[in-house]
Amino acid sequence: MAEELSCTPTLDGLMSYEGAVERLVAAVRRLDDRERVTLRDGLGRVLAEPVVSTIDVPRWDYSAMDGYVLRAADFDGPGSTLAVSQRLPAGVAPQPLAGGTAARIFTGAPIPDGADTVVMQEVCTATADAVRIDTGIVAGDNVRRRGEDIAAGTEIIAAGTRLDPQHLGLAASVGCAELTVWRRPRVAVFASGDELVMPGEPLAPGQIYNSNLFTAGGLLRTLGCEVIELGIVEDTLDATKTALADAATRADLVFASGGVSVGEEDHVKPAIEALGTLDMWKIAIRPGKPVAFGHIDGTPFIGSPGNPVSLFVTFLLFVRPFLLCLQGRDDWRLQPMQVVADFDWPRPDKRREFQRARLTIDTAGIARAAVHPSRSSGVLSSVTWANGLVVIPEGRAMRRGDTVAFLPFCELLR
Ligand code: AMP
Ligand code: MG
């Protein structure tokens, strides 16, 4: 997989994918505003300061079973009978165990001093105030050890981690009630195009619905951003300049859909050049070859082609790493998995292709990726059909049964 994504040929003046991403990521100026949030509000946020435990977890040795706790040395073999000297439900503080006795104990209760072994109740016979142990025992059985999960002083969640539910649980398990996270990036987003209409409005001839604003807004929110939605911008230089200048004052990143080609109706390039600096990168990938990257008064700008599939793929491949780095995450590199190609690809492109694909697990448990029949970057339904992208290396024909790199959306959309 690494091999698949690490080769960096450039052809016909096109930039390699890696070259472009490295340049983007190198240009990131990380956010440096921190916020304290309650654990509940930490979900999906990125940790700015590590969580360090001040306690051992568990705090003491405790029982993993309902049963009887004793000292293994007091056990004389199957049939041993011991007086029951204490009852220890979870939540009590035990007395030291009297020599030669056992204590009734329940899951989660601390092991009393002097005891070392829990025998599960299923192999015991209780009498009025004693217990007979009907099997052999192993010293230390069914005891969970103090600190076996976490030792006091250990860093349990590293800075830069995106907080999933299990991180919240882990932080809670050491008594941490608040977390220090990075401020959410503010991203201003607009869509250029005179043909665009917002859903809910009627369509006049020649018009289409503005889907990109919703795809982009959803992607941004999924990656933890605050979205400043600037709507639809007319295909004129003035309108584009006004939108960009406004966006740049309010956001950590400006993301625009459409108008980044060099046609008469594409005004993003001249608008940014008038306001700041712009690179137009032609990247050796399909779909989504042109990506615009620039700055307006220090605010970064990324522009994607307007084709809905190009926008989605461009976002995942370029905007996502940028946003993850902005938030101090270091897990932005693509991590494809190797699966079996369930398709033939006899005529590969000179550019690396990121094709919409659907991974299924066959009856033998083998992961197989099928590709969508459409290669058009206008067919947005192919993206909802898919659950990831296959990476078809530049110039390499593929046959059904070959191994292919697959990028699951569930990994990319987080
Ligand atoms: P452009 O990049 O502006 O040349 O647009 C390329 C194609 O994508 C055209 O077919 C546009 O109509 C379409 N398109 C552009 N912007 C959007 C949008 N916001 N939502 C849906 N389709 C769009
Ligand atoms: Mg356009």
Side-chain angles (χ1 to χ4, degrees):
M1 104 188 54
E3 177 230 328
E4 222 94 85
L5 290 182
S6 67
C7 47
T8 56
T10 34
L11 49 112
D12 310 335
L14 301 187
M15 199 186 287
S16 72
Y17 170 67
E18 288 76 11
V21 172
E22 293 298 339
R23 281 171 73 168
L24 263 183
V25 161
V28 169
R29 268 187 292 143
R30 286 178 43 175
L31 298 181
D32 57 6
D33 311 342
R34 294 153 201 250
E35 290 173 7
R36 290 287 283 174
V37 293
T38 65
L39 267 191
R40 262 178 215 92
D41 292 331
L43 190 63
R45 304 297 298 268
V46 180
L47 205 58
E49 284 168 15
V51 178
V52 176
S53 178
T54 56
I55 59 170
D56 288 326
V57 180
R59 304 272 331 258
W60 6 256
D61 293 356
Y62 76 96
S63 177
M65 291 279 180
D66 288 351
Y68 293 84
V69 62
L70 50 91
R71 189 190 337 255
D74 293 337
F75 179 76
D76 282 337
S80 289
T81 297
L82 297 168
V84 175
S85 55
Q86 291 184 67
R87 186 171 184 281
L88 300 172
V92 300
Q95 299 299 314
L97 188 70
T101 74
R104 180 75 169 119
I105 196 164
F106 297 88
T107 306
I111 304 295
D113 282 348
D116 52 28
T117 304
V118 173
V119 185
M120 61 180 183
Q121 62 192 15
E122 288 79 357
V123 298
C124 298
T125 306
T127 57
D129 45 15
V131 60
R132 190 184 70 231
I133 295 159
D134 299 322
T135 61
I137 66 167
V138 176
D141 257 9
N142 304 316
V143 175
R144 294 194 181 141
R145 297 288 169 203
R146 173 178 182 159
E148 78 176 13
D149 183 355
I150 297 160
T154 308
E155 177 180 304
I156 54 170
I157 313 177
T161 303
R162 177 192 185 274
L163 296 165
D164 292 326
Q166 58 271 35
H167 295 115
L168 304 187
L170 191 68
S173 78
V174 302
C176 171
E178 290 191 344
L179 300 164
T180 305
V181 297
W182 297 113
R183 167 172 75 72
R184 289 183 189 281
R186 284 190 278 273
V187 181
V189 54
F190 67 83
S192 293
D194 285 343
E195 73 278 36
L196 302 175
V197 172
M198 291 301 268
E201 301 292 319
L203 285 178
Q207 295 183 321
I208 62 167
Y209 286 120
N210 177 8
S211 61
N212 286 351
L213 204 60
F214 293 86
T215 309
L219 286 163
L220 290 165
R221 288 186 192 92
T222 299
L223 297 184
C225 302
E226 216 172 84
V227 178
I228 305 168
E229 225 184 75
L230 301 178
I232 297 167
V233 172
E234 267 177 65
D235 280 326
T236 66
L237 183 58
D238 277 352
T240 309
K241 278 167 65 179
T242 305
L244 285 168
D246 171 39
T249 60
R250 296 160 64 181
D252 301 304
L253 170 69
V254 180
F255 178 65
S257 137
V260 297
S261 305
V262 284
E264 283 167 40
E265 298 292 334
D266 296 307
H267 300 288
V268 168
K269 185 171 187 283
I272 302 223
E273 281 166 349
L275 298 168
T277 55
L278 183 77
D279 285 323
M280 287 290 287
W281 294 341
K282 291 209 168 73
I283 300 163
I285 62 165
R286 277 175 65 98
K289 184 172 63 167
V291 173
F293 179 60
H295 285 91
I296 306 160
D297 277 340
T299 304
F301 165 86
I302 302 178
S304 147
N307 273 305
V309 177
S310 304
L311 175 122
F312 184 76
V313 174
T314 300
F315 190 103
L316 294 180
L317 296 182
F318 299 100
V319 185
R320 175 180 180 273
F322 190 91
L323 289 171
L324 266 50
C325 284
L326 193 65
Q327 300 178 71
R329 282 174 62 178
D330 55 13
D331 55 344
W332 54 267
R333 280 175 211 282
L334 299 180
Q335 300 217 313
M337 54 201 262
Q338 296 297 309
V339 303
V340 176
D342 207 10
F343 58 88
D344 290 313
W345 203 261
R347 284 178 295 283
D349 200 277
K350 284 196 288 183
R351 293 175 274 168
R352 191 180 309 170
E353 296 182 82
F354 291 86
Q355 286 296 336
R356 293 135 270 175
R358 184 157 166 169
L359 193 74
T360 49
I361 309 297
D362 71 14
T363 49
I366 308 291
R368 295 180 185 279
V371 289
H372 194 271
S374 173
R375 289 170 73 172
S376 160
S377 48
V379 177
L380 191 53
S381 55
S382 63
V383 176
T384 57
W385 171 88
N387 55 14
L389 300 171
V390 285
V391 187
I392 300 174
E394 31 286 82
R396 193 185 307 170
M398 302 201 73
R399 301 183 56 161
R400 194 176 300 272
D402 285 352
T403 298
V404 66
F406 178 81
L407 297 161
F409 289 157
C410 58
E411 286 295 317
L412 294 173
L413 296 176
R414 64 187 305 283

